[in-house]
């Protein structure tokens, strides 16, 4: 946790979980069909919206592309014709899926019925208090609280998000940060879903709001140690890049805030957080292939940032402070990173850094936590996360053990250097989210909470496997699979849903799902493909799935599908696929390349117009993406990207059934990308398979706000799949 409460609304929010519901002994084909199948009616014969074509020629490197749907871009999101077309698409989707409404309701009620309505997060200590969130009854949002101890003595309410959200269709709170004297709290609020936050400050003693209102921010604040100085990041409202760090003094107008850092390189993100000992404020500079840190003295309200070392392309590092030493997680001469150490006096001289955990070509160093007497570090070895505790005095180490064949484990809430235990979160595909405290100096561990699943859920009914499937170039791709034991035949009769992301080095570990049990209980097998573009098998696995090797990501997904069919984990006629954002790009690429493999595909907020977007630096976040996809202003990258860009590669062929979803106010992937893609698919697709497109007119990249509203999205997608099972 970088500042107080920053993870409470993310990691610790009560999970949405559901359990098994179908105990019948129907055949696999029958059990995969919706419970309401007997009342289903054929989809009505309504006409799909046909978008007008307005040729727009884009010439790059002497090559001309005609984009007939470029007109759909409206940065203001106010064009009546565009809004009318989106509403027409929503009406068409509603009509074509009207016969699944009963099933959607069954799924919604089923999921909601397994949620513990009164659910609290596990308290996290930060300084003198323990912080947590509480969600009760039918409330959509949490109430953030703090207490004197873990048991909740003298509990007080910090923020009731339900009250704040009442006047808004969309509402999100971010970056809750308490002042060093524990009397004030800053937080960000977004009422549009563009991830542009206004920072507000609350007096925790009186309960009143201070007049300070800081607009156009990234949503988080860091306190100076004088309890009146606040550091925050301001965003460019066009590109949505957080690029300026300001220093604000409480009681002063925002117009008088001091700009202390401005990022001139548009390929970098900017972040701020604070050291565990509260002495230092960090400014993080992060691009895809380089990173750096600048330091600010938190005790000096006039201090200026000092960069640790000059930034260098290809060098990535982060730092953490303990006493007069800094620990540095760096890829300097270490493909999979290593941990180094330097005194405060030597920090700025890279030649004087010394090894703490040496480089290992086969094991990636992910993260670490410092304590007064211990170092805890997180590594990934052959795709599995390992947690090691090292006594800093004796040098002795011990490794924490986990039983599942594949799992997710992460450290969180370890805010105090003098703690004698470490907090971690654990989950697997069959194990609901579990929070543990592990003693740092013994083998003692305490289960603080395991997410409760209402109904008849029994983890013994489910089986998880970890497979290695060979891709076309001989690489072994890890795949995490889960199914319900009594409904899995392994004879090629089960429907199968395959999911992946595969970009930005993001590794999605196998964990217990919010909604997945509704499919497993109906005979589905679920497969999570850890394809190239992630870091599941270390940093080289990522490097082999980006820029000029990006095709490996798509090939891996396709080859995993074929391998699972060959191994009889799924019925070749009932294979489904899903992905969102960059995973939506994955969906767009594979349906162009191998459309006959899939019966149905769900693409959420899909990044599909790769070339046009990457050529336009006015589109939010484009410049940060060059090191991930390449810059198409370079012909080599242009040609390569053009060869897989889903929008550009749409062709006359039979596509699978496709459900596309987006949010009008999406800040990451602009609504017009999926809108254009759907229009072009409609123009070119042959056959009678379904193509439906739904836009949430109030939400953005993360979908609807509120824990129950989100269930509607899952119910829609699952009903779409279940309705298609043959």
């Amino acid at each position: 946790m970088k500042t107080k409460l920053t993870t409470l609304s993310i990691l610790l929010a009560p999970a949405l979980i559901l359990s098994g519901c179908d105990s019948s002994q129907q055949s696999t084909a029958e059990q995969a069909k919706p419970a309401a199948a007997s009342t289903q009616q054929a989809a009505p014969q309504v006409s799909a919206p046909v978008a007008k074509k307005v040729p727009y020629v884009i010439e790059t490197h002497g090559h001309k592309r005609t984009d007939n749907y470029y007109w759909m871009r409206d940065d203001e999101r106010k064009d009546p014709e565009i809004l009318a077309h989106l509403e027409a698409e929503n009406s068409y989707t509603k009509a074509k899926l009207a016969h699944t409404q009963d099933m959607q309701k069954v799924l919604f009620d089923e999921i909601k019925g397994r949620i513990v309505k009164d659910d609290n997060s596990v308290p996290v200590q930060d300084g003198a208090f323990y912080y947590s969130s509480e969600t009760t009854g039918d409330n959509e949002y949490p109430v953030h609280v703090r207490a004197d101890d873990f048991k909740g003595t003298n509990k007080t309410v910090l923020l009731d998000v339900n009250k704040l959200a009442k006047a808004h269709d969309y509402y999100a709170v971010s970056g809750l940060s308490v002042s060093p004297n524990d009397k004030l709290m800053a937080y960000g609020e977004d009422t549009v879903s563009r991830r542009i936050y206004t920072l507000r400050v609350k007096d925790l003693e009186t309960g009143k709001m201070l007049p300070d209102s800081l607009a156009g921010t990234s949503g988080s604040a860091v306190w100076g140690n004088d309890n009146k100085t606040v550091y925050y990041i301001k965003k460019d409202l066009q590109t949505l890049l957080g690029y300026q760090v300001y220093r604000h003094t409480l009681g002063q107008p925002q117009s008088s805030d001091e700009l202390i850092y401005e990022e001139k390189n548009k390929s970098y993100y900017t972040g701020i957080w604070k050291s565990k000992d509260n002495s230092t404020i960090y400014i993080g500079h992060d691009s895809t292939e380089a990173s750096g840190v600048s330091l600010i003295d938190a005790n000096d309200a006039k201090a200026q940032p000092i960069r640790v070392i000059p930034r260098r392309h290809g060098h990535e590092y982060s730092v953490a402070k303990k006493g007069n030493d800094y620990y540095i997680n760096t890829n300097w001469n270490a493909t999979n990173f290593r941990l180094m150490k330097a005194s405060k006096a030597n920090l700025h001289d890279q030649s004087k850094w010394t090894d703490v955990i040496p480089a290992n070509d086969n094991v990636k160093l992910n993260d670490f936590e410092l304590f007064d007497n211990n170092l805890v570090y997180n590594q990934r070895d052959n795709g599995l996360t390992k947690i090691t505790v090292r006594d800093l005095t004796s040098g002795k180490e011990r490794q924490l053990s986990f039983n599942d064949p594949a799992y997710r484990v992460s450290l969180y809430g370890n805010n105090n250097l003098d703690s004698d235990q470490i907090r971690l979160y654990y989950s697997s595909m069959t194990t609901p989210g579990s929070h543990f405290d592990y003693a740092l100096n013994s083998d003692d561990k305490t289960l603080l909470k395991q997410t409760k699943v209402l109904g008849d859920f029994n983890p013994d009914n489910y089986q998880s496997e970890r497979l290695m499937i060979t891709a076309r170039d001989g690489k072994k791709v890890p795949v995490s699979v889960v199914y319900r034991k009594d409904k899995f035949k392994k004879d090629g009769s089960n429907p199968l849903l395959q999911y992946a992301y595969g970009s930005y080095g993001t590794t999605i570990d196998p964990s217990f799902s919010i909604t997945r049990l509704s499919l497993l209980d109906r005979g589905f097998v679920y497969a999570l493909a850890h394809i190239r573009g992630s870091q599941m098998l270390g940093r080289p696995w990522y490097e082999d799935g980006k820029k000029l090797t990006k095709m490996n990501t798509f090939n891996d997904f396709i080859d995993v599908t074929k391998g699972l069919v060959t191994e009889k984990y799924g019925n070749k006629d009932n294979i489904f696929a899903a992905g969102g954002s960059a995973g939506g790009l994955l969906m767009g690429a594979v349906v162009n390349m191998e459309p006959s493999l899939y019966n149905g595909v769900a693409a959420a907020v899909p990044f599909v117009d790769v070339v046009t977007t990457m050529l336009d630096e006015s589109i939010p976040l484009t410049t940060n993406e060059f090191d991930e996809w390449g810059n198409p202003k370079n012909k080599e990258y242009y040609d390569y990207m053009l060869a897989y860009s889903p929008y550009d590669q749409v062709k006359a062929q039979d596509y699978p059934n496709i459900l596309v979803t987006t949010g009008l106010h999406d800040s990451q992937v602009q609504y017009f990308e999926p809108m254009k893609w759907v229009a072009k698919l409609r123009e070119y697709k042959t056959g009678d398979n379904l193509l439906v497109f739904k836009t949430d007119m109030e939400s953005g990249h993360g979908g609807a706000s509120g824990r129950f509203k989100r269930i509607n999205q899952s119910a829609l997608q699952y009903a779409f799949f279940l309705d298609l099972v043959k």
Side-chain angles (χ1 to χ4, degrees):
M1 186 181 293
K2 292 177 178 177
T3 56
K4 295 181 182 179
L5 294 176
T6 52
T7 58
L8 285 181
S9 60
I10 302 171
L11 240 179
L12 308 183
L16 304 182
I17 303 172
L18 56 144
S19 70
C21 67
D22 185 354
S23 58
S24 68
Q25 299 300 314
Q26 296 170 302
S27 69
T28 301
E30 289 173 332
Q31 64 192 244
K33 290 185 180 295
S38 61
T39 62
Q40 260 183 216
Q41 298 178 358
Q45 296 301 310
V46 293
S47 298
V50 176
K52 71 178 183 182
K53 296 198 291 186
V54 181
Y56 181 87
V57 178
I58 306 171
E59 183 171 353
T60 315
H61 306 298
H63 177 254
K64 292 183 179 180
R65 293 178 298 132
T66 299
D67 186 348
N68 290 321
Y69 304 106
Y70 189 88
W71 65 270
M72 290 179 169
R73 175 178 175 178
D74 171 28
D75 291 346
E76 297 297 319
R77 291 158 171 76
K78 295 178 180 178
D79 186 296
E81 185 176 10
I82 291 173
L83 296 177
H85 188 83
L86 290 173
E87 293 288 8
E89 288 282 7
N90 283 348
S91 296
Y92 176 73
T93 297
K94 184 176 181 179
K96 295 298 287 186
L97 299 182
H99 64 287
T100 70
Q101 283 295 323
D102 288 346
M103 189 57 191
Q104 290 183 48
K105 186 177 187 309
V106 167
L107 290 165
F108 180 91
D109 292 342
E110 185 177 291
I111 297 168
K112 187 176 180 181
R114 285 165 172 78
I115 299 170
V116 176
K117 290 188 176 182
D118 297 339
D119 198 12
N120 303 333
S121 69
V122 180
V124 168
Q125 185 179 9
D126 196 353
F129 292 96
Y130 287 75
Y131 296 85
S132 61
S133 63
E134 301 177 348
T135 311
T136 58
D138 289 324
N139 285 338
E140 294 279 2
Y141 303 94
V143 176
H144 296 285
V145 301
R146 75 177 178 188
D148 291 345
D149 53 32
F150 187 86
K151 295 180 179 179
T153 304
N154 296 325
K155 185 187 300 180
T156 59
V157 173
L158 302 178
L159 204 67
D160 186 340
V161 183
N162 298 283
K163 291 181 179 178
L164 296 173
K166 278 185 178 179
H168 306 283
D169 292 324
Y170 177 92
Y171 190 83
V173 163
S174 76
L176 280 69
S177 178
V178 177
S179 61
N181 65 4
D182 297 314
K183 295 180 179 181
L184 302 169
M185 182 179 69
Y187 65 92
E189 65 174 10
D190 174 13
T191 60
V192 179
S193 191
R194 288 287 281 171
R195 299 184 183 178
I196 301 173
Y197 296 85
T198 298
L199 284 174
R200 307 199 183 280
V201 181
K202 182 177 182 180
D203 186 320
L204 297 180
E205 291 187 318
T206 66
K208 295 181 178 180
M209 300 300 299
L210 272 61
D212 303 78
S213 178
L214 308 178
T217 81
S218 64
S220 62
V222 175
W223 289 89
N225 288 340
D226 61 2
N227 299 295
K228 65 179 182 179
T229 302
V230 175
Y231 296 82
Y232 66 93
I233 296 170
K234 199 166 186 180
K235 284 192 168 186
D236 182 309
L237 300 184
Q238 172 65 34
T239 66
L240 301 188
L241 288 174
Y243 73 112
Q244 294 175 320
V245 179
Y246 278 89
R247 179 160 43 212
H248 172 76
T249 301
L250 294 182
Q252 299 297 313
Q254 187 176 10
S255 59
S256 67
D257 291 353
E258 179 188 1
L259 175 65
I260 63 169
Y261 178 81
E262 183 169 0
E263 181 56 68
K264 303 290 188 182
N265 188 330
K266 293 184 179 180
S267 67
Y268 279 82
Y269 291 101
T270 303
I272 50 174
W273 65 99
K274 204 172 187 181
S275 61
K276 276 189 183 182
D277 65 4
N278 292 314
S279 69
T280 305
I281 295 169
Y282 303 120
I283 300 178
H285 322 289
D286 293 287
S287 69
T288 303
E289 295 184 337
S291 62
V293 179
S294 296
L295 311 176
I296 304 173
D297 184 348
N299 294 304
D300 182 358
K302 296 182 179 180
Q304 296 300 311
I306 300 173
R307 190 158 289 180
V308 171
I309 57 173
R311 286 195 313 220
R312 186 177 76 251
H313 185 75
H315 185 207
E316 301 173 54
Y317 72 92
S318 60
V319 302
K321 182 176 179 291
K322 188 176 89 72
N324 288 319
D325 291 326
Y326 283 85
Y327 287 71
I328 308 115
N329 187 359
T330 173
N331 70 341
W332 178 35
N333 294 331
T335 299
N336 274 326
F337 290 77
R338 58 176 166 165
L339 189 63
M340 305 189 78
K341 178 181 171 183
S343 66
K344 184 176 181 180
N346 293 331
L347 178 63
H348 305 291
D349 184 349
Q350 194 172 343
S351 68
K352 294 182 179 179
W353 296 0
T354 59
D355 271 339
V356 176
I357 302 173
N360 186 329
D361 289 342
N362 299 314
V363 180
K364 183 180 182 296
L365 176 64
N366 290 330
D367 199 3
F368 67 98
E369 287 280 359
L370 289 169
F371 299 90
D372 284 340
N373 302 310
N374 293 274
L375 164 68
V376 181
Y377 58 95
N378 172 329
Q379 294 175 303
R380 190 176 295 280
D381 185 359
N382 195 32
L384 295 179
T385 300
K386 296 183 177 180
I387 307 290
T388 303
V389 179
R390 176 186 293 185
D391 186 303
L392 289 174
T393 302
S394 68
K396 292 183 178 178
E397 294 188 341
R398 63 187 180 89
Q399 198 170 94
L400 307 187
S401 59
F402 309 103
N403 297 324
D404 292 292
Y407 51 83
R408 172 193 170 190
V409 61
S410 56
L411 309 176
Y412 80 93
N414 298 290
N415 305 307
N416 296 343
L417 285 165
D418 61 356
S419 178
D420 60 359
Q421 58 192 12
I422 185 167
R423 175 72 57 81
L424 62 79
Y425 174 87
Y426 178 85
S427 177
S428 75
M429 284 184 157
T430 59
T431 306
S434 306
H435 303 260
F436 290 91
D437 273 346
Y438 275 77
L440 287 169
N441 301 312
S442 72
D443 291 327
D444 294 340
K445 68 177 180 180
T446 303
L447 175 62
L448 303 172
K449 176 184 177 180
Q450 183 174 84
T451 302
K452 186 177 181 180
V453 183
L454 300 181
D456 60 353
F457 170 73
N458 182 346
D460 293 337
N461 290 336
Y462 304 90
Q463 179 68 47
S464 175
E465 296 184 34
R466 187 170 188 261
L467 311 174
M468 300 296 285
I469 291 182
T470 305
R472 65 193 66 184
D473 63 356
K475 294 291 179 69
K476 302 287 187 180
V477 181
V479 184
S480 301
V481 174
V482 65
Y483 48 81
R484 181 161 174 146
K485 294 176 184 177
D486 61 351
K487 298 192 175 183
F488 178 55
K489 310 296 184 182
K490 204 176 181 183
D491 61 358
S493 63
N494 288 81
L496 180 144
L497 172 60
Q498 182 175 316
Y499 175 87
Y501 185 73
S503 292
Y504 302 104
T506 299
T507 302
I508 301 177
D509 284 305
S511 60
F512 197 79
S513 172
I514 294 172
T515 59
R516 190 186 304 138
L517 292 175
S518 279
L519 291 183
L520 303 185
D521 291 340
R522 290 170 171 82
F524 265 74
V525 173
Y526 178 87
L528 173 58
H530 306 290
I531 54 183
R532 276 173 279 189
S534 74
Q535 296 186 82
M536 176 57 75
L537 296 181
R539 188 53 177 257
W541 199 244
Y542 171 38
E543 299 294 341
D544 207 21
K546 62 187 283 196
K547 292 199 289 192
L548 297 177
T549 59
K550 191 62 196 173
M551 287 297 296
N552 288 332
T553 299
F554 315 133
N555 292 339
D556 282 356
F557 190 89
I558 290 168
D559 294 344
V560 165
T561 302
K562 293 178 178 179
L564 290 171
V565 171
T566 298
E567 296 296 322
K568 299 190 182 303
Y569 281 89
N571 180 342
K572 66 180 180 62
D573 295 322
N574 283 317
I575 303 298
F576 301 88
S581 195
L585 161 64
L586 172 66
M587 296 299 100
V590 300
V591 298
N592 281 334
M593 296 163 64
E594 294 269 6
S596 63
L597 271 181
Y598 305 99
N599 183 2
V601 171
V605 292
F607 172 44
V608 284
D609 192 12
V610 182
V611 179
T612 302
T613 291
M614 295 305 297
L615 282 168
D616 189 344
E617 295 184 17
S618 71
I619 293 177
L621 310 181
T622 290
T623 55
N624 292 91
E625 307 292 311
F626 290 149
D627 287 336
E628 178 70 23
W629 314 103
N631 187 341
K633 292 177 183 177
N634 177 315
K635 188 175 187 303
E636 181 181 26
Y637 288 115
Y638 175 83
D639 291 341
Y640 191 85
M641 294 164 70
L642 191 64
Y644 69 75
S645 174
Y647 182 69
D648 293 286
Q649 292 302 317
V650 169
K651 58 180 71 73
Q653 62 178 349
D654 287 355
Y655 281 91
N657 298 284
I658 301 175
L659 167 66
V660 183
T661 55
T662 193
L664 179 63
H665 300 286
D666 197 320
S667 60
Q668 307 296 111
V669 178
Q670 307 304 302
Y671 76 90
F672 47 81
E673 290 203 33
M675 184 182 183
K676 290 167 57 177
W677 183 46
V678 169
K680 191 171 182 180
L681 282 170
R682 285 232 170 85
E683 179 185 353
Y684 281 87
K685 72 183 285 288
T686 57
D688 298 323
N689 282 339
L690 197 60
L691 172 60
V692 287
F693 175 39
K694 182 176 181 180
T695 301
D696 187 324
M697 305 300 280
E698 274 92 42
S699 78
H701 198 66
S705 61
R707 59 173 178 161
F708 296 132
K709 288 181 181 178
R710 292 179 183 272
I711 300 174
N712 286 303
Q713 301 170 47
S714 299
L716 171 66
Q717 184 183 108
Y718 282 8
F720 177 75
F721 290 148
L722 289 164
D723 183 57
L724 293 171
V725 172
K726 300 175 182 178

